[in-house]
Amino acid sequence: MRTLLALLGVIFLSVLSSAQIQPQLNLMPMPSSVQQGSGQLPINESFSATVTGTHDASLDNGVQRFTRNLSRITGIPFRASASGTPTLEVHSDHGRGAVQKLEEDESYELTVTGSGAKITAPTPLGALHGLQTFLQLAQITPTGFAVPAVTIKDQPRFPWRGMLIDVSRHFIPIDVLKRNLDGMEAVKMNVMHWHLSDDQGFRAESKKFPKLTGMGSEGKFYTQEEIRDLLAYAHDRGIRVIPEFDTPGHSRSWFVGYPELASNPGPFTVENENGASSVTDPTREETYKFMDKFVEEMGKLFPDQFFHIGGDEVDPKYWDSNPKIQAFKEAHAMKTDADLQAYYNQRLEKILARHHKTMVGWDEILHPDLPKDIVVQSWRGQQSLAAAAQQGYRGLLSYGYYLDLMWPTSRHYATDPMSGAAANLTPEQKKLILGGESCQWAEWVTPENIDSHIWPRNAAIAERLWSPQDVTDVNSMYTRMHAISFELEALGLTHRSARDQMLQRMAGGADITALRVLADVVEPVKDYNRWSDEEKGPINFHAPLTHLIDAVYPESDAARQFANLVQQFAQSGYKDRTLEGQIRGWLTLWRDNDAKLRPLLQSSYLLEEDIPLSQNLAMLGSAGLQALDYLGKGQPEPELWKTQQLAVIDQAKKPVAGLLLMVTAPVQQLVEASAGQTQQK
Amino acid sequence: MRTLLALLGVIFLSVLSSAQIQPQLNLMPMPSSVQQGSGQLPINESFSATVTGTHDASLDNGVQRFTRNLSRITGIPFRASASGTPTLEVHSDHGRGAVQKLEEDESYELTVTGSGAKITAPTPLGALHGLQTFLQLAQITPTGFAVPAVTIKDQPRFPWRGMLIDVSRHFIPIDVLKRNLDGMEAVKMNVMHWHLSDDQGFRAESKKFPKLTGMGSEGKFYTQEEIRDLLAYAHDRGIRVIPEFDTPGHSRSWFVGYPELASNPGPFTVENENGASSVTDPTREETYKFMDKFVEEMGKLFPDQFFHIGGDEVDPKYWDSNPKIQAFKEAHAMKTDADLQAYYNQRLEKILARHHKTMVGWDEILHPDLPKDIVVQSWRGQQSLAAAAQQGYRGLLSYGYYLDLMWPTSRHYATDPMSGAAANLTPEQKKLILGGESCQWAEWVTPENIDSHIWPRNAAIAERLWSPQDVTDVNSMYTRMHAISFELEALGLTHRSARDQMLQRMAGGADITALRVLADVVEPVKDYNRWSDEEKGPINFHAPLTHLIDAVYPESDAARQFANLVQQFAQSGYKDRTLEGQIRGWLTLWRDNDAKLRPLLQSSYLLEEDIPLSQNLAMLGSAGLQALDYLGKGQPEPELWKTQQLAVIDQAKKPVAGLLLMVTAPVQQLVEASAGQTQQK
């Protein structure tokens, strides 16, 4: 046995030296200033936190919540009755108002030494952010949980760092929203933009107009009590909630109960298949009476200063085909439908102003007749943001932050509100750009998979909006996002774990190991390509979202890692045998996976469509392995073989069941490298 | 490409034929009569269920809950407003009372054809059970979700099928209890035995004696409102809730606030480290006045007929060392402490009777002076259950169902209330055996890992108490339990998913693949071996339960499967090359795993203790592989080698960090087989 042990020892030592785990600060968003010290503060059962400075109930709650979360992350049950010097002091100079404002100071300083930690901030908001930083710093070490000694000075780059959640296309229950608010708090986002109405459903209870949800929600809506509960939950976490009631377009759900608001006769339903569509009729005085009462009620329910009226994508055909509306335009000397929408928005803006609200709307609301205090949210790009700023309007960027487009994180991360046309603004104009919002449009999400569509990618967008503009290193971003992703799951999000649940459903009781191998290397098609399939017709919002495309992560870690491996291998002139061994391991796994997976794919109606995908992966594995063989021999492969392989690769590039194999390009690189080499022997 | 495809095709076909997935009825507990028909009932978006017969609110709730759960399992969003003929008709002849009774009829019939399904039952309880059976029958097929055509007639073998949950040693929050009630409903258990007080904490709010929780719970207790909410939740699911307030032993937490109840002077605390222990003083009249008020209050809060007074493990030293108590015994001509406890129980029983409650207690309460309507719960075995029945007392078996002992499911499953001494009872005496209860004692559980200590093993105990006595096939049990385990996770339990969360904590942000390989083949030490370590002293109930022993499943699936593989290989005379290949795959994985895992183990204070475990697994892998080599050659291995390997195996059998490597025995079998073979060449 001694011999064996000695032998094994050699293996261990060699691995150790190459894979030693380095402590690093896995913070996201990255603070504006981080100065690492020496030593670390242990987090053990005697940990406690205390609040000093101005007393503030919301900060007290925040510290309690923080302690609970630290306990969840470390698994250590801190005692409520801890005595002695507190480990962490949290100090805020001032308290908080009942309604959070846009321009509040969110800065904080965090100092950690081997013997204690202190967060100081001018406001409870800053202190709450500091607590999140502390939480992210807590890491496991060989001697216990600890926070490394550090001095951090931090404040946000933009005051408006939001996420839009569409709850109309698919209803998202309160508990799911709450866990996403927890996630937003963790990454220091401070606005939840609640897209509460759209064609497919009106989700906020109105007591004055009960038919809005009574007829326009299929019974899936939030009561006012639930809304107040959510608002308090968000407020506790330093998050403002902006309601959006989209009008005059995207508003079929209003017309189900109140067809008189529409520009053409109904009847209307919230189902795509039946019922006409329409837009609001801006020519009837009754419309404005309705909106006045509605804004009064909702303005009280939602205390935030800002109120989003949508205003996007108004289909002109409903106005153009109504002779009364055309006559109105003529009588008021309006030339275009844009003029008519501007008229509507002006009237709406006056109603909002009467109820002390500031209007926010999408690009299309921008019109010189509107007052300068409105805010324009750009889904079109920095160009329209810059145009608004040049006219003196405040703006928010959402272009580039659409989570539903299934982009890789790096692409969101590269989108900066101040880039492109906005880069050329004057300093004064730049100040008008308040920040941005990621957007989770809900055509393809359910309560089950929405977390994975948002997280962890949203953390990188949060960093873009919080951290200094020069924080742009993509590798660092991925490393830190990976760590934060686990933190977010520990806090209760399900963006990683839901996939297994969904795969298990597809597999019945069968083993899902081979299914995971396939799921790991695919991504859903990008942009609107899932949607734009003419053959399929309009989206059925009642269809189950239970296919592989609904379960997989928007971005494949394995594919990114494999591409990096092949890149490194290329840089070694295809000589590094360790890298080759790793690449060979992946390719072999993929080549052999289809045989294991096939019976399962054939047994499940949810998986049958993925058979060609699994087959393509197997062929890619084979192609890559053969390319490695040729590379190893230093022989170019035969021309016929190369032609065959490139045909295989071309086939593997085509989406199957809405899914893309993300390892196609690196395999192609191997095949081409092998073909390109000259005879060496 | 065509060539490649053809080649891959061959692989697929060969795998397909051997691994074709067979539909089977994954029901647990197995119904008393199942007759399979032909065809299947599709479950699609038009599914709906309706209730006929006597109107009953709890059944209406049950059908709604069932529909929600069927939606979770299938991922299909059924429409609330489904029209047309309902797919499933649920019929109950009678309604339910506000308080569920012990001997209610729980039978049901379920008929499923290709065009519809019907559940008929005399009571809503039976109908609720039928719904759970239907839920388990829903399975994925190549054409969609479906329930196979079947006729089931079913009723429970025992009327009392319970689970005890100890919430004293570690407090378990209401939401965790609720998801476990969901699990109990799924496997047709009908009693939650709520162990609400013990030395370490008193968990139920008393308004009359507020110091019980005020001083005896460290702030961790259920308010009466929360208790009522839980009772309603349980009642909806056909589950009775029996409170247990353990007395006169196991009751230190009572004495923290009310030291006058104790047999020796305090002060008392709920912490093991400080504070004296004690048992209740049965000689003071004030004790009975206290208990009378207490039982009155709790008897109203908990409406069930039965009331559990504990009565187990009374340490006599507290009575023996109190001269007043000794004098009392003498004055009343009591010879033993058992007589004194019987006196206490008699007085307590009269109090219970006055408040219309039937007493339940552990083995030790059995005494001829007590009336025959009490119920004895046996933690000692069928022997004491039989003894009670022979004296005319009703009984419950818990011996053999202690989930905290970390037994394999098969061992619980083999324990029958009617076996052993109970098998020889007369038919009349047998009727006195009401059923049994699994017991989840909470020394080693937290809200995070309690599910995995209970499930899925508890499903097999539920089957033992529901299904006919001759349902004993262990392989069938494991197959069905495996399927039900996934159903239980889909319903919200976390018995599988929590492990990854905990492993991820131990690993920081690092990859846990290699850690899973180790976790898959270990089990915690059995019985009280974790506890009985004298060196460690008494359990610290405030210590984090975050080590590998806390995260792993009580039973290793991988080890069971590997042992089966080796068994089959042995049966083939060690000739079957396919089996050998599979065994070799496992052994190679284990041999190579330590090298991958070691850096991680060294980086985490929670994993460092597992280094020898991982090392032992690697050595077992090597030993097994070498044994296979010798077996392949048909050569006996050298004597020295064998001696070395058996030493390795002996070492691997020793627990490390409280964990046992469960693949040691089959590896030993391979080594010994190899040594035992005669030279064949």
Side-chain angles (χ1 to χ4, degrees), chain A residues 522-555:
Chain A
V522 298
E523 294 180 7
V525 290
K526 308 298 162 186
D527 303 314
Y528 295 111
N529 284 321
R530 183 173 183 181
W531 202 344
S532 61
D533 189 335
E534 291 286 330
E535 278 176 42
K536 291 180 187 163
I539 301 172
N540 171 7
F541 289 97
H542 294 94
L545 295 180
T546 49
H547 290 254
L548 192 55
I549 188 176
D550 302 302
V552 299
Y553 306 134
E555 184 168 17

Coordinates of all heavy atoms in Angstrom, one line a residue, chain A residues 522-555:
Chain A
V522 N -25.3 24.1 -26.6 CA -26.3 24.7 -27.5 C -26.7 26.1 -26.9 O -26.7 26.3 -25.7 CB -27.5 23.8 -27.8 CG1 -27.0 22.6 -28.6 CG2 -28.3 23.5 -26.6
E523 N -27.2 26.9 -27.8 CA -27.9 28.2 -27.4 C -29.1 28.4 -28.2 O -29.1 27.9 -29.4 CB -26.9 29.4 -27.5 CG -25.7 29.3 -26.6 CD -24.8 30.6 -26.8 OE1 -25.2 31.5 -27.6 OE2 -23.7 30.5 -26.2
P524 N -30.1 29.1 -27.7 CA -31.2 29.4 -28.6 C -30.8 30.3 -29.7 O -29.9 31.0 -29.6 CB -32.2 30.1 -27.6 CG -31.7 29.8 -26.2 CD -30.2 29.6 -26.4
V525 N -31.6 30.3 -30.8 CA -31.3 31.2 -31.9 C -31.4 32.6 -31.4 O -32.1 32.9 -30.4 CB -32.3 31.0 -33.1 CG1 -32.0 29.7 -33.8 CG2 -33.7 31.0 -32.6
K526 N -30.8 33.5 -32.1 CA -30.6 34.9 -31.6 C -31.7 35.8 -32.2 O -32.4 35.5 -33.1 CB -29.2 35.4 -32.0 CG -28.1 34.5 -31.5 CD -28.0 34.3 -30.1 CE -27.2 33.1 -29.6 NZ -27.3 32.8 -28.2
D527 N -31.7 37.0 -31.6 CA -32.6 38.1 -32.0 C -34.0 37.6 -32.1 O -34.5 37.0 -31.1 CB -32.1 38.6 -33.4 CG -30.6 39.1 -33.3 OD1 -30.3 39.8 -32.3 OD2 -29.8 38.7 -34.1
Y528 N -34.7 37.9 -33.2 CA -36.1 37.5 -33.3 C -36.3 36.3 -34.1 O -37.4 36.0 -34.7 CB -37.0 38.7 -33.7 CG -37.0 39.8 -32.7 CD1 -36.4 41.0 -33.0 CD2 -37.6 39.7 -31.5 CE1 -36.3 42.0 -32.1 CE2 -37.6 40.7 -30.6 CZ -36.9 41.9 -30.9 OH -36.9 42.9 -30.0
N529 N -35.2 35.5 -34.3 CA -35.3 34.3 -35.2 C -36.2 33.2 -34.7 O -36.7 32.4 -35.5 CB -33.9 33.8 -35.5 CG -33.1 34.7 -36.4 OD1 -33.7 35.2 -37.4 ND2 -31.9 34.9 -36.1
R530 N -36.5 33.2 -33.4 CA -37.4 32.2 -33.0 C -38.8 32.5 -33.4 O -39.7 31.7 -33.6 CB -37.4 32.0 -31.5 CG -38.3 30.9 -30.9 CD -38.1 30.7 -29.5 NE -39.0 29.6 -29.0 CZ -39.0 29.1 -27.8 NH1 -38.3 29.7 -26.9 NH2 -39.8 28.1 -27.5
W531 N -39.0 33.8 -33.5 CA -40.3 34.4 -33.7 C -40.7 34.5 -35.1 O -41.8 34.4 -35.5 CB -40.2 35.8 -33.1 CG -41.4 36.5 -32.7 CD1 -42.7 36.1 -33.0 CD2 -41.6 37.6 -31.9 NE1 -43.6 36.9 -32.5 CE2 -42.9 37.9 -31.7 CE3 -40.7 38.4 -31.2 CZ2 -43.4 38.9 -31.0 CZ3 -41.2 39.5 -30.5 CH2 -42.5 39.7 -30.3
S532 N -39.7 34.8 -36.0 CA -39.9 35.3 -37.3 C -40.3 34.2 -38.3 O -40.3 34.4 -39.5 CB -38.7 36.1 -37.8 OG -37.6 35.2 -37.8
D533 N -40.5 33.0 -37.8 CA -40.9 31.9 -38.6 C -42.3 32.1 -39.1 O -43.3 31.9 -38.4 CB -40.7 30.6 -37.9 CG -40.8 29.4 -38.8 OD1 -41.5 29.5 -39.8 OD2 -40.3 28.4 -38.4
E534 N -42.4 32.5 -40.4 CA -43.8 32.8 -40.9 C -44.7 31.6 -40.9 O -45.9 31.7 -40.6 CB -43.6 33.3 -42.4 CG -43.0 34.6 -42.6 CD -43.9 35.8 -42.2 OE1 -45.1 35.6 -42.3 OE2 -43.4 36.8 -41.7
E535 N -44.1 30.4 -41.1 CA -44.9 29.2 -41.1 C -45.7 29.0 -39.8 O -46.8 28.5 -39.8 CB -44.1 28.0 -41.3 CG -43.7 27.7 -42.8 CD -42.8 26.5 -42.9 OE1 -43.0 25.6 -42.1 OE2 -41.8 26.7 -43.6
K536 N -45.0 29.4 -38.7 CA -45.6 29.1 -37.4 C -46.8 30.1 -37.1 O -47.5 29.9 -36.1 CB -44.5 29.2 -36.3 CG -43.5 28.0 -36.4 CD -42.5 28.2 -35.4 CE -41.4 27.1 -35.5 NZ -40.2 27.5 -34.8
G537 N -46.8 31.2 -37.8 CA -47.9 32.2 -37.5 C -47.6 32.9 -36.2 O -46.4 32.9 -35.7
P538 N -48.6 33.6 -35.7 CA -48.3 34.4 -34.4 C -48.0 33.5 -33.2 O -48.4 32.3 -33.2 CB -49.6 35.2 -34.2 CG -50.7 34.4 -35.0 CD -50.0 33.7 -36.1
I539 N -47.3 34.0 -32.3 CA -47.0 33.3 -31.1 C -48.3 32.9 -30.3 O -49.2 33.7 -30.1 CB -46.1 34.1 -30.1 CG1 -44.9 34.5 -30.8 CG2 -45.8 33.3 -28.8 CD1 -44.0 35.5 -30.0
N540 N -48.3 31.6 -29.9 CA -49.4 31.2 -29.0 C -48.9 31.3 -27.6 O -48.1 30.5 -27.1 CB -49.8 29.7 -29.4 CG -50.7 29.1 -28.3 OD1 -51.2 29.8 -27.5 ND2 -51.0 27.8 -28.4
F541 N -49.4 32.3 -26.9 CA -48.9 32.6 -25.6 C -49.4 31.6 -24.5 O -49.1 31.7 -23.4 CB -49.3 34.1 -25.2 CG -48.5 35.1 -26.0 CD1 -49.0 35.7 -27.1 CD2 -47.2 35.4 -25.6 CE1 -48.3 36.6 -27.8 CE2 -46.5 36.3 -26.3 CZ -47.0 37.0 -27.4
H542 N -50.3 30.7 -25.0 CA -50.7 29.7 -24.0 C -50.0 28.4 -24.2 O -50.3 27.4 -23.5 CB -52.2 29.5 -24.2 CG -53.1 30.6 -23.8 ND1 -53.5 31.6 -24.7 CD2 -53.5 31.0 -22.6 CE1 -54.2 32.5 -24.0 NE2 -54.2 32.2 -22.8
A543 N -49.1 28.3 -25.2 CA -48.4 27.1 -25.4 C -47.4 26.8 -24.3 O -46.8 27.7 -23.8 CB -47.7 27.1 -26.8
P544 N -47.2 25.5 -24.0 CA -46.2 25.2 -23.0 C -44.8 25.6 -23.5 O -44.5 25.4 -24.7 CB -46.3 23.7 -22.8 CG -47.5 23.3 -23.5 CD -47.9 24.3 -24.5
L545 N -44.0 26.1 -22.6 CA -42.6 26.4 -23.0 C -41.7 25.4 -22.3 O -41.1 25.6 -21.2 CB -42.2 27.9 -22.6 CG -43.0 28.9 -23.3 CD1 -42.6 30.3 -22.9 CD2 -42.8 28.8 -24.8
T546 N -41.7 24.2 -22.9 CA -41.1 23.1 -22.2 C -40.1 22.3 -23.1 O -39.7 21.2 -22.7 CB -42.2 22.1 -21.8 OG1 -43.0 21.8 -22.9 CG2 -43.0 22.6 -20.7
H547 N -39.7 22.9 -24.2 CA -38.8 22.3 -25.1 C -37.3 22.6 -24.7 O -37.1 23.4 -23.8 CB -39.0 22.7 -26.5 CG -40.3 22.1 -27.1 ND1 -40.4 21.1 -28.0 CD2 -41.6 22.4 -26.8 CE1 -41.7 20.8 -28.2 NE2 -42.4 21.6 -27.5
L548 N -36.4 21.9 -25.3 CA -35.0 22.1 -25.0 C -34.6 23.6 -25.1 O -33.9 24.1 -24.3 CB -34.1 21.2 -25.9 CG -32.6 21.1 -25.4 CD1 -32.5 20.6 -24.0 CD2 -31.9 20.2 -26.4
I549 N -35.1 24.3 -26.1 CA -34.8 25.7 -26.3 C -35.3 26.5 -25.1 O -34.7 27.6 -24.8 CB -35.5 26.2 -27.6 CG1 -35.0 27.6 -27.9 CG2 -37.0 26.2 -27.5 CD1 -35.6 28.2 -29.2
D550 N -36.3 26.1 -24.4 CA -36.8 26.8 -23.2 C -35.9 26.5 -22.0 O -36.0 27.3 -21.0 CB -38.2 26.4 -23.0 CG -39.1 26.7 -24.2 OD1 -39.1 27.9 -24.6 OD2 -39.8 25.8 -24.7
A551 N -35.2 25.4 -22.0 CA -34.5 25.0 -20.8 C -33.0 25.4 -20.8 O -32.4 25.7 -19.8 CB -34.6 23.5 -20.7
V552 N -32.4 25.5 -22.0 CA -31.0 25.8 -22.0 C -30.7 27.2 -21.6 O -31.5 28.1 -21.7 CB -30.4 25.5 -23.4 CG1 -30.6 24.0 -23.8 CG2 -31.0 26.4 -24.5
Y553 N -29.4 27.4 -21.2 CA -29.0 28.7 -20.9 C -28.8 29.5 -22.2 O -28.4 29.0 -23.2 CB -27.6 28.6 -20.1 CG -27.7 27.8 -18.9 CD1 -26.7 26.9 -18.6 CD2 -28.7 27.9 -18.0 CE1 -26.7 26.0 -17.5 CE2 -28.8 27.1 -16.9 CZ -27.7 26.1 -16.6 OH -27.8 25.4 -15.5
P554 N -29.0 30.8 -22.1 CA -28.8 31.7 -23.3 C -27.4 31.7 -23.8 O -27.1 31.9 -25.0 CB -29.2 33.1 -22.8 CG -30.1 32.9 -21.7 CD -29.6 31.6 -21.0
E555 N -26.5 31.4 -22.9 CA -25.1 31.4 -23.3 C -24.4 30.1 -22.8 O -24.5 29.8 -21.7 CB -24.3 32.6 -22.7 CG -22.9 32.8 -23.2 CD -22.3 34.1 -22.9 OE1 -22.8 34.8 -22.0 OE2 -21.3 34.5 -23.5

